[in-house]
Amino acid sequence: LRLLCMLFFTAIGFALALFGALTMPLLVVVPAAGLILGYLGPQMVVARRIKKRQKEILLALPSALDLLTISVEAGLSFDSALTRVVEKYNNAFSRELSIMLNEVRLGRPRLEALDDVGRRCKVEELSNFIQAIIQSEQLGVGVANVLRIQSEEIRRKRRQRAEEQGQKAPLKMLFPMVGCIFPTLFIVLLGPAVIEVAHQFGSGG
């Protein structure tokens, strides 16, 4: 896709340069800009989609863990609890769990399929949760206790992230205020005085 985009945008750059009768420097710069755009464009689009998907998984994780905890404490097995999450929710995390369950049904070891989910998604909270589940399975610790602890930990990190973003908000608001609001206030406050001074100078002249 990147190669096709490079060829496509470079061809557009050549067409614009030739039909626009550009001078020699621009005749080289415009196709080169198309080449760079074709090279970086797909990577930027994919990176944006990855961040969006990771955010969706991060937002879906607390609710899914609550349902997992309730289901396991009610007596369901861990696989059955995962199936309930897949049936109840329709988001990126539930789709990843669906892939994992299908792999287990086809014969792949459950811990290996679960570990692969964390490597695919690259979400820190999800990776920590999966590693905790894997360790509990290996050490024979109750899954319900691990789920409850992980659910509380994820909510705590989510609250800390929200507080951190709230502390950054005044700094982010400073630049729009300086660039947009303050000039308007200066115009409203100083505008009449400037007009009055201009009238005085006009009448004096």
PDB file of all heavy atoms in Angstrom, residues 80-111:
ATOM      1  N   SER A  80     -15.925 -19.858  30.175  1.00  0.00           N
ATOM      2  CA  SER A  80     -17.346 -19.506  30.067  1.00  0.00           C
ATOM      3  C   SER A  80     -17.569 -18.024  30.376  1.00  0.00           C
ATOM      4  O   SER A  80     -18.407 -17.368  29.749  1.00  0.00           O
ATOM      5  CB  SER A  80     -18.173 -20.369  31.025  1.00  0.00           C
ATOM      6  OG  SER A  80     -18.026 -21.735  30.717  1.00  0.00           O
ATOM      7  N   ALA A  81     -16.795 -17.488  31.342  1.00  0.00           N
ATOM      8  CA  ALA A  81     -16.899 -16.063  31.653  1.00  0.00           C
ATOM      9  C   ALA A  81     -16.437 -15.212  30.473  1.00  0.00           C
ATOM     10  O   ALA A  81     -17.043 -14.183  30.150  1.00  0.00           O
ATOM     11  CB  ALA A  81     -16.080 -15.741  32.897  1.00  0.00           C
ATOM     12  N   LEU A  82     -15.361 -15.647  29.800  1.00  0.00           N
ATOM     13  CA  LEU A  82     -14.905 -14.934  28.609  1.00  0.00           C
ATOM     14  C   LEU A  82     -15.967 -14.978  27.511  1.00  0.00           C
ATOM     15  O   LEU A  82     -16.183 -13.980  26.797  1.00  0.00           O
ATOM     16  CB  LEU A  82     -13.598 -15.550  28.098  1.00  0.00           C
ATOM     17  CG  LEU A  82     -12.355 -15.360  28.964  1.00  0.00           C
ATOM     18  CD1 LEU A  82     -11.179 -16.110  28.360  1.00  0.00           C
ATOM     19  CD2 LEU A  82     -12.014 -13.884  29.109  1.00  0.00           C
ATOM     20  N   THR A  83     -16.639 -16.112  27.376  1.00  0.00           N
ATOM     21  CA  THR A  83     -17.708 -16.223  26.383  1.00  0.00           C
ATOM     22  C   THR A  83     -18.845 -15.263  26.691  1.00  0.00           C
ATOM     23  O   THR A  83     -19.426 -14.655  25.777  1.00  0.00           O
ATOM     24  CB  THR A  83     -18.238 -17.672  26.348  1.00  0.00           C
ATOM     25  OG1 THR A  83     -17.150 -18.563  26.082  1.00  0.00           O
ATOM     26  CG2 THR A  83     -19.288 -17.832  25.278  1.00  0.00           C
ATOM     27  N   ARG A  84     -19.177 -15.078  27.948  1.00  0.00           N
ATOM     28  CA  ARG A  84     -20.221 -14.122  28.319  1.00  0.00           C
ATOM     29  C   ARG A  84     -19.824 -12.698  27.960  1.00  0.00           C
ATOM     30  O   ARG A  84     -20.650 -11.908  27.513  1.00  0.00           O
ATOM     31  CB  ARG A  84     -20.508 -14.210  29.828  1.00  0.00           C
ATOM     32  CG  ARG A  84     -21.248 -15.468  30.242  1.00  0.00           C
ATOM     33  CD  ARG A  84     -21.896 -15.293  31.595  1.00  0.00           C
ATOM     34  NE  ARG A  84     -22.887 -14.218  31.575  1.00  0.00           N
ATOM     35  CZ  ARG A  84     -23.576 -13.826  32.645  1.00  0.00           C
ATOM     36  NH1 ARG A  84     -23.367 -14.418  33.823  1.00  0.00           N
ATOM     37  NH2 ARG A  84     -24.451 -12.860  32.565  1.00  0.00           N
ATOM     38  N   VAL A  85     -18.553 -12.364  28.163  1.00  0.00           N
ATOM     39  CA  VAL A  85     -18.083 -11.028  27.782  1.00  0.00           C
ATOM     40  C   VAL A  85     -18.207 -10.833  26.270  1.00  0.00           C
ATOM     41  O   VAL A  85     -18.650  -9.776  25.798  1.00  0.00           O
ATOM     42  CB  VAL A  85     -16.618 -10.832  28.234  1.00  0.00           C
ATOM     43  CG1 VAL A  85     -16.055  -9.534  27.684  1.00  0.00           C
ATOM     44  CG2 VAL A  85     -16.537 -10.837  29.748  1.00  0.00           C
ATOM     45  N   VAL A  86     -17.847 -11.859  25.504  1.00  0.00           N
ATOM     46  CA  VAL A  86     -17.940 -11.765  24.043  1.00  0.00           C
ATOM     47  C   VAL A  86     -19.389 -11.597  23.607  1.00  0.00           C
ATOM     48  O   VAL A  86     -19.695 -10.831  22.685  1.00  0.00           O
ATOM     49  CB  VAL A  86     -17.313 -13.021  23.396  1.00  0.00           C
ATOM     50  CG1 VAL A  86     -17.571 -13.038  21.896  1.00  0.00           C
ATOM     51  CG2 VAL A  86     -15.816 -13.052  23.669  1.00  0.00           C
ATOM     52  N   GLU A  87     -20.303 -12.294  24.285  1.00  0.00           N
ATOM     53  CA  GLU A  87     -21.717 -12.209  23.915  1.00  0.00           C
ATOM     54  C   GLU A  87     -22.340 -10.877  24.323  1.00  0.00           C
ATOM     55  O   GLU A  87     -23.220 -10.370  23.624  1.00  0.00           O
ATOM     56  CB  GLU A  87     -22.484 -13.356  24.580  1.00  0.00           C
ATOM     57  CG  GLU A  87     -22.113 -14.731  24.034  1.00  0.00           C
ATOM     58  CD  GLU A  87     -22.757 -15.854  24.822  1.00  0.00           C
ATOM     59  OE1 GLU A  87     -23.345 -15.554  25.893  1.00  0.00           O
ATOM     60  OE2 GLU A  87     -22.666 -17.012  24.376  1.00  0.00           O
ATOM     61  N   LYS A  88     -21.877 -10.299  25.424  1.00  0.00           N
ATOM     62  CA  LYS A  88     -22.510  -9.080  25.936  1.00  0.00           C
ATOM     63  C   LYS A  88     -22.005  -7.819  25.250  1.00  0.00           C
ATOM     64  O   LYS A  88     -22.782  -6.898  24.970  1.00  0.00           O
ATOM     65  CB  LYS A  88     -22.274  -8.964  27.452  1.00  0.00           C
ATOM     66  CG  LYS A  88     -22.951  -7.754  28.083  1.00  0.00           C
ATOM     67  CD  LYS A  88     -22.789  -7.745  29.577  1.00  0.00           C
ATOM     68  CE  LYS A  88     -23.433  -6.514  30.222  1.00  0.00           C
ATOM     69  NZ  LYS A  88     -24.872  -6.415  29.938  1.00  0.00           N
ATOM     70  N   TYR A  89     -20.715  -7.757  24.947  1.00  0.00           N
ATOM     71  CA  TYR A  89     -20.123  -6.525  24.409  1.00  0.00           C
ATOM     72  C   TYR A  89     -19.730  -6.718  22.948  1.00  0.00           C
ATOM     73  O   TYR A  89     -19.455  -7.831  22.493  1.00  0.00           O
ATOM     74  CB  TYR A  89     -18.888  -6.124  25.217  1.00  0.00           C
ATOM     75  CG  TYR A  89     -19.184  -5.819  26.662  1.00  0.00           C
ATOM     76  CD1 TYR A  89     -18.784  -6.701  27.676  1.00  0.00           C
ATOM     77  CD2 TYR A  89     -19.864  -4.664  27.020  1.00  0.00           C
ATOM     78  CE1 TYR A  89     -19.058  -6.425  29.002  1.00  0.00           C
ATOM     79  CE2 TYR A  89     -20.149  -4.383  28.350  1.00  0.00           C
ATOM     80  CZ  TYR A  89     -19.735  -5.260  29.328  1.00  0.00           C
ATOM     81  OH  TYR A  89     -20.012  -4.998  30.640  1.00  0.00           O
ATOM     82  N   ASN A  90     -19.720  -5.584  22.246  1.00  0.00           N
ATOM     83  CA  ASN A  90     -19.267  -5.570  20.852  1.00  0.00           C
ATOM     84  C   ASN A  90     -18.271  -4.426  20.689  1.00  0.00           C
ATOM     85  O   ASN A  90     -18.622  -3.313  20.312  1.00  0.00           O
ATOM     86  CB  ASN A  90     -20.450  -5.401  19.894  1.00  0.00           C
ATOM     87  CG  ASN A  90     -20.016  -5.432  18.441  1.00  0.00           C
ATOM     88  OD1 ASN A  90     -18.954  -5.967  18.112  1.00  0.00           O
ATOM     89  ND2 ASN A  90     -20.816  -4.857  17.568  1.00  0.00           N
ATOM     90  N   ASN A  91     -17.025  -4.703  21.037  1.00  0.00           N
ATOM     91  CA  ASN A  91     -15.971  -3.707  20.925  1.00  0.00           C
ATOM     92  C   ASN A  91     -14.675  -4.414  20.561  1.00  0.00           C
ATOM     93  O   ASN A  91     -14.653  -5.634  20.336  1.00  0.00           O
ATOM     94  CB  ASN A  91     -15.833  -2.900  22.230  1.00  0.00           C
ATOM     95  CG  ASN A  91     -15.739  -3.803  23.454  1.00  0.00           C
ATOM     96  OD1 ASN A  91     -14.956  -4.748  23.475  1.00  0.00           O
ATOM     97  ND2 ASN A  91     -16.550  -3.521  24.463  1.00  0.00           N
ATOM     98  N   ALA A  92     -13.601  -3.648  20.496  1.00  0.00           N
ATOM     99  CA  ALA A  92     -12.325  -4.227  20.080  1.00  0.00           C
ATOM    100  C   ALA A  92     -11.845  -5.308  21.050  1.00  0.00           C
ATOM    101  O   ALA A  92     -11.289  -6.334  20.630  1.00  0.00           O
ATOM    102  CB  ALA A  92     -11.273  -3.126  19.952  1.00  0.00           C
ATOM    103  N   PHE A  93     -12.074  -5.101  22.341  1.00  0.00           N
ATOM    104  CA  PHE A  93     -11.617  -6.088  23.328  1.00  0.00           C
ATOM    105  C   PHE A  93     -12.400  -7.390  23.220  1.00  0.00           C
ATOM    106  O   PHE A  93     -11.828  -8.483  23.256  1.00  0.00           O
ATOM    107  CB  PHE A  93     -11.748  -5.505  24.737  1.00  0.00           C
ATOM    108  CG  PHE A  93     -11.273  -6.421  25.817  1.00  0.00           C
ATOM    109  CD1 PHE A  93     -10.012  -6.993  25.757  1.00  0.00           C
ATOM    110  CD2 PHE A  93     -12.080  -6.727  26.895  1.00  0.00           C
ATOM    111  CE1 PHE A  93      -9.559  -7.843  26.748  1.00  0.00           C
ATOM    112  CE2 PHE A  93     -11.642  -7.581  27.893  1.00  0.00           C
ATOM    113  CZ  PHE A  93     -10.387  -8.141  27.820  1.00  0.00           C
ATOM    114  N   SER A  94     -13.721  -7.293  23.076  1.00  0.00           N
ATOM    115  CA  SER A  94     -14.523  -8.514  22.948  1.00  0.00           C
ATOM    116  C   SER A  94     -14.187  -9.264  21.663  1.00  0.00           C
ATOM    117  O   SER A  94     -14.204 -10.500  21.638  1.00  0.00           O
ATOM    118  CB  SER A  94     -16.016  -8.162  22.985  1.00  0.00           C
ATOM    119  OG  SER A  94     -16.381  -7.371  21.871  1.00  0.00           O
ATOM    120  N   ARG A  95     -13.862  -8.527  20.608  1.00  0.00           N
ATOM    121  CA  ARG A  95     -13.469  -9.206  19.367  1.00  0.00           C
ATOM    122  C   ARG A  95     -12.132  -9.927  19.529  1.00  0.00           C
ATOM    123  O   ARG A  95     -11.931 -11.012  18.971  1.00  0.00           O
ATOM    124  CB  ARG A  95     -13.419  -8.194  18.224  1.00  0.00           C
ATOM    125  CG  ARG A  95     -14.793  -7.714  17.780  1.00  0.00           C
ATOM    126  CD  ARG A  95     -14.712  -6.910  16.493  1.00  0.00           C
ATOM    127  NE  ARG A  95     -14.114  -5.603  16.699  1.00  0.00           N
ATOM    128  CZ  ARG A  95     -14.798  -4.516  17.044  1.00  0.00           C
ATOM    129  NH1 ARG A  95     -16.107  -4.582  17.228  1.00  0.00           N
ATOM    130  NH2 ARG A  95     -14.199  -3.349  17.193  1.00  0.00           N
ATOM    131  N   GLU A  96     -11.215  -9.342  20.279  1.00  0.00           N
ATOM    132  CA  GLU A  96      -9.950 -10.027  20.555  1.00  0.00           C
ATOM    133  C   GLU A  96     -10.183 -11.300  21.374  1.00  0.00           C
ATOM    134  O   GLU A  96      -9.563 -12.336  21.119  1.00  0.00           O
ATOM    135  CB  GLU A  96      -8.997  -9.093  21.306  1.00  0.00           C
ATOM    136  CG  GLU A  96      -8.348  -8.035  20.445  1.00  0.00           C
ATOM    137  CD  GLU A  96      -7.339  -8.619  19.476  1.00  0.00           C
ATOM    138  OE1 GLU A  96      -6.843  -9.736  19.737  1.00  0.00           O
ATOM    139  OE2 GLU A  96      -7.056  -7.971  18.463  1.00  0.00           O
ATOM    140  N   LEU A  97     -11.084 -11.209  22.355  1.00  0.00           N
ATOM    141  CA  LEU A  97     -11.404 -12.389  23.146  1.00  0.00           C
ATOM    142  C   LEU A  97     -12.070 -13.464  22.288  1.00  0.00           C
ATOM    143  O   LEU A  97     -11.834 -14.660  22.490  1.00  0.00           O
ATOM    144  CB  LEU A  97     -12.320 -12.006  24.312  1.00  0.00           C
ATOM    145  CG  LEU A  97     -11.709 -11.133  25.406  1.00  0.00           C
ATOM    146  CD1 LEU A  97     -12.730 -10.862  26.495  1.00  0.00           C
ATOM    147  CD2 LEU A  97     -10.459 -11.783  26.002  1.00  0.00           C
ATOM    148  N   SER A  98     -12.888 -13.037  21.329  1.00  0.00           N
ATOM    149  CA  SER A  98     -13.530 -13.999  20.431  1.00  0.00           C
ATOM    150  C   SER A  98     -12.489 -14.747  19.597  1.00  0.00           C
ATOM    151  O   SER A  98     -12.577 -15.972  19.408  1.00  0.00           O
ATOM    152  CB  SER A  98     -14.520 -13.270  19.522  1.00  0.00           C
ATOM    153  OG  SER A  98     -15.122 -14.162  18.610  1.00  0.00           O
ATOM    154  N   ILE A  99     -11.484 -14.008  19.098  1.00  0.00           N
ATOM    155  CA  ILE A  99     -10.394 -14.651  18.348  1.00  0.00           C
ATOM    156  C   ILE A  99      -9.662 -15.654  19.234  1.00  0.00           C
ATOM    157  O   ILE A  99      -9.347 -16.778  18.819  1.00  0.00           O
ATOM    158  CB  ILE A  99      -9.420 -13.589  17.808  1.00  0.00           C
ATOM    159  CG1 ILE A  99     -10.120 -12.707  16.759  1.00  0.00           C
ATOM    160  CG2 ILE A  99      -8.177 -14.236  17.199  1.00  0.00           C
ATOM    161  CD1 ILE A  99      -9.290 -11.528  16.318  1.00  0.00           C
ATOM    162  N   MET A 100      -9.399 -15.234  20.474  1.00  0.00           N
ATOM    163  CA  MET A 100      -8.682 -16.110  21.401  1.00  0.00           C
ATOM    164  C   MET A 100      -9.476 -17.389  21.691  1.00  0.00           C
ATOM    165  O   MET A 100      -8.923 -18.501  21.684  1.00  0.00           O
ATOM    166  CB  MET A 100      -8.414 -15.334  22.699  1.00  0.00           C
ATOM    167  CG  MET A 100      -7.822 -16.150  23.819  1.00  0.00           C
ATOM    168  SD  MET A 100      -9.065 -16.438  25.097  1.00  0.00           S
ATOM    169  CE  MET A 100      -8.162 -17.496  26.205  1.00  0.00           C
ATOM    170  N   LEU A 101     -10.789 -17.262  21.919  1.00  0.00           N
ATOM    171  CA  LEU A 101     -11.615 -18.436  22.203  1.00  0.00           C
ATOM    172  C   LEU A 101     -11.693 -19.367  20.993  1.00  0.00           C
ATOM    173  O   LEU A 101     -11.695 -20.596  21.142  1.00  0.00           O
ATOM    174  CB  LEU A 101     -13.020 -17.988  22.628  1.00  0.00           C
ATOM    175  CG  LEU A 101     -13.110 -17.304  23.997  1.00  0.00           C
ATOM    176  CD1 LEU A 101     -14.503 -16.746  24.215  1.00  0.00           C
ATOM    177  CD2 LEU A 101     -12.752 -18.283  25.101  1.00  0.00           C
ATOM    178  N   ASN A 102     -11.764 -18.794  19.804  1.00  0.00           N
ATOM    179  CA  ASN A 102     -11.779 -19.629  18.597  1.00  0.00           C
ATOM    180  C   ASN A 102     -10.467 -20.396  18.447  1.00  0.00           C
ATOM    181  O   ASN A 102     -10.465 -21.567  18.039  1.00  0.00           O
ATOM    182  CB  ASN A 102     -12.021 -18.759  17.367  1.00  0.00           C
ATOM    183  CG  ASN A 102     -13.444 -18.237  17.297  1.00  0.00           C
ATOM    184  OD1 ASN A 102     -14.372 -18.860  17.835  1.00  0.00           O
ATOM    185  ND2 ASN A 102     -13.628 -17.100  16.652  1.00  0.00           N
ATOM    186  N   GLU A 103      -9.354 -19.744  18.767  1.00  0.00           N
ATOM    187  CA  GLU A 103      -8.063 -20.435  18.705  1.00  0.00           C
ATOM    188  C   GLU A 103      -7.999 -21.582  19.708  1.00  0.00           C
ATOM    189  O   GLU A 103      -7.463 -22.655  19.405  1.00  0.00           O
ATOM    190  CB  GLU A 103      -6.929 -19.443  18.969  1.00  0.00           C
ATOM    191  CG  GLU A 103      -6.723 -18.430  17.846  1.00  0.00           C
ATOM    192  CD  GLU A 103      -5.642 -17.422  18.177  1.00  0.00           C
ATOM    193  OE1 GLU A 103      -5.240 -17.357  19.362  1.00  0.00           O
ATOM    194  OE2 GLU A 103      -5.190 -16.709  17.259  1.00  0.00           O
ATOM    195  N   VAL A 104      -8.570 -21.358  20.909  1.00  0.00           N
ATOM    196  CA  VAL A 104      -8.572 -22.425  21.921  1.00  0.00           C
ATOM    197  C   VAL A 104      -9.433 -23.592  21.459  1.00  0.00           C
ATOM    198  O   VAL A 104      -9.075 -24.761  21.650  1.00  0.00           O
ATOM    199  CB  VAL A 104      -9.078 -21.857  23.263  1.00  0.00           C
ATOM    200  CG1 VAL A 104      -9.278 -22.980  24.288  1.00  0.00           C
ATOM    201  CG2 VAL A 104      -8.084 -20.837  23.812  1.00  0.00           C
ATOM    202  N   ARG A 105     -10.579 -23.298  20.824  1.00  0.00           N
ATOM    203  CA  ARG A 105     -11.442 -24.373  20.329  1.00  0.00           C
ATOM    204  C   ARG A 105     -10.754 -25.184  19.237  1.00  0.00           C
ATOM    205  O   ARG A 105     -11.035 -26.371  19.065  1.00  0.00           O
ATOM    206  CB  ARG A 105     -12.749 -23.785  19.799  1.00  0.00           C
ATOM    207  CG  ARG A 105     -13.630 -23.151  20.872  1.00  0.00           C
ATOM    208  CD  ARG A 105     -14.987 -22.782  20.325  1.00  0.00           C
ATOM    209  NE  ARG A 105     -15.744 -22.000  21.297  1.00  0.00           N
ATOM    210  CZ  ARG A 105     -15.900 -20.677  21.236  1.00  0.00           C
ATOM    211  NH1 ARG A 105     -15.336 -19.999  20.240  1.00  0.00           N
ATOM    212  NH2 ARG A 105     -16.591 -20.042  22.152  1.00  0.00           N
ATOM    213  N   LEU A 106      -9.853 -24.536  18.490  1.00  0.00           N
ATOM    214  CA  LEU A 106      -9.130 -25.230  17.425  1.00  0.00           C
ATOM    215  C   LEU A 106      -7.920 -26.010  17.944  1.00  0.00           C
ATOM    216  O   LEU A 106      -7.216 -26.641  17.161  1.00  0.00           O
ATOM    217  CB  LEU A 106      -8.674 -24.223  16.363  1.00  0.00           C
ATOM    218  CG  LEU A 106      -9.801 -23.573  15.542  1.00  0.00           C
ATOM    219  CD1 LEU A 106      -9.246 -22.503  14.620  1.00  0.00           C
ATOM    220  CD2 LEU A 106     -10.555 -24.633  14.742  1.00  0.00           C
ATOM    221  N   GLY A 107      -7.676 -25.923  19.267  1.00  0.00           N
ATOM    222  CA  GLY A 107      -6.620 -26.748  19.849  1.00  0.00           C
ATOM    223  C   GLY A 107      -5.415 -25.990  20.368  1.00  0.00           C
ATOM    224  O   GLY A 107      -4.480 -26.611  20.883  1.00  0.00           O
ATOM    225  N   ARG A 108      -5.395 -24.679  20.270  1.00  0.00           N
ATOM    226  CA  ARG A 108      -4.244 -23.937  20.777  1.00  0.00           C
ATOM    227  C   ARG A 108      -4.318 -23.851  22.297  1.00  0.00           C
ATOM    228  O   ARG A 108      -5.406 -23.693  22.869  1.00  0.00           O
ATOM    229  CB  ARG A 108      -4.232 -22.528  20.178  1.00  0.00           C
ATOM    230  CG  ARG A 108      -2.957 -21.767  20.458  1.00  0.00           C
ATOM    231  CD  ARG A 108      -2.951 -20.422  19.773  1.00  0.00           C
ATOM    232  NE  ARG A 108      -1.662 -19.757  19.923  1.00  0.00           N
ATOM    233  CZ  ARG A 108      -1.408 -18.524  19.509  1.00  0.00           C
ATOM    234  NH1 ARG A 108      -2.340 -17.817  18.898  1.00  0.00           N
ATOM    235  NH2 ARG A 108      -0.216 -17.997  19.690  1.00  0.00           N
ATOM    236  N   PRO A 109      -3.195 -23.963  23.006  1.00  0.00           N
ATOM    237  CA  PRO A 109      -3.220 -23.827  24.472  1.00  0.00           C
ATOM    238  C   PRO A 109      -3.795 -22.479  24.898  1.00  0.00           C
ATOM    239  O   PRO A 109      -3.490 -21.443  24.296  1.00  0.00           O
ATOM    240  CB  PRO A 109      -1.742 -23.957  24.859  1.00  0.00           C
ATOM    241  CG  PRO A 109      -1.126 -24.725  23.745  1.00  0.00           C
ATOM    242  CD  PRO A 109      -1.859 -24.318  22.505  1.00  0.00           C
ATOM    243  N   ARG A 110      -4.636 -22.513  25.945  1.00  0.00           N
ATOM    244  CA  ARG A 110      -5.364 -21.305  26.348  1.00  0.00           C
ATOM    245  C   ARG A 110      -4.423 -20.204  26.802  1.00  0.00           C
ATOM    246  O   ARG A 110      -4.597 -19.035  26.438  1.00  0.00           O
ATOM    247  CB  ARG A 110      -6.343 -21.649  27.474  1.00  0.00           C
ATOM    248  CG  ARG A 110      -7.112 -20.448  27.994  1.00  0.00           C
ATOM    249  CD  ARG A 110      -8.401 -20.899  28.641  1.00  0.00           C
ATOM    250  NE  ARG A 110      -8.158 -21.795  29.753  1.00  0.00           N
ATOM    251  CZ  ARG A 110      -8.020 -21.385  31.021  1.00  0.00           C
ATOM    252  NH1 ARG A 110      -8.086 -20.101  31.304  1.00  0.00           N
ATOM    253  NH2 ARG A 110      -7.829 -22.243  31.989  1.00  0.00           N
ATOM    254  N   LEU A 111      -3.413 -20.533  27.595  1.00  0.00           N
ATOM    255  CA  LEU A 111      -2.498 -19.506  28.084  1.00  0.00           C
ATOM    256  C   LEU A 111      -1.696 -18.892  26.938  1.00  0.00           C
ATOM    257  O   LEU A 111      -1.428 -17.688  26.939  1.00  0.00           O
ATOM    258  CB  LEU A 111      -1.556 -20.101  29.131  1.00  0.00           C
ATOM    259  CG  LEU A 111      -2.213 -20.599  30.426  1.00  0.00           C
ATOM    260  CD1 LEU A 111      -1.168 -21.087  31.404  1.00  0.00           C
ATOM    261  CD2 LEU A 111      -3.085 -19.522  31.045  1.00  0.00           C
TER     262      LEU A 111
END
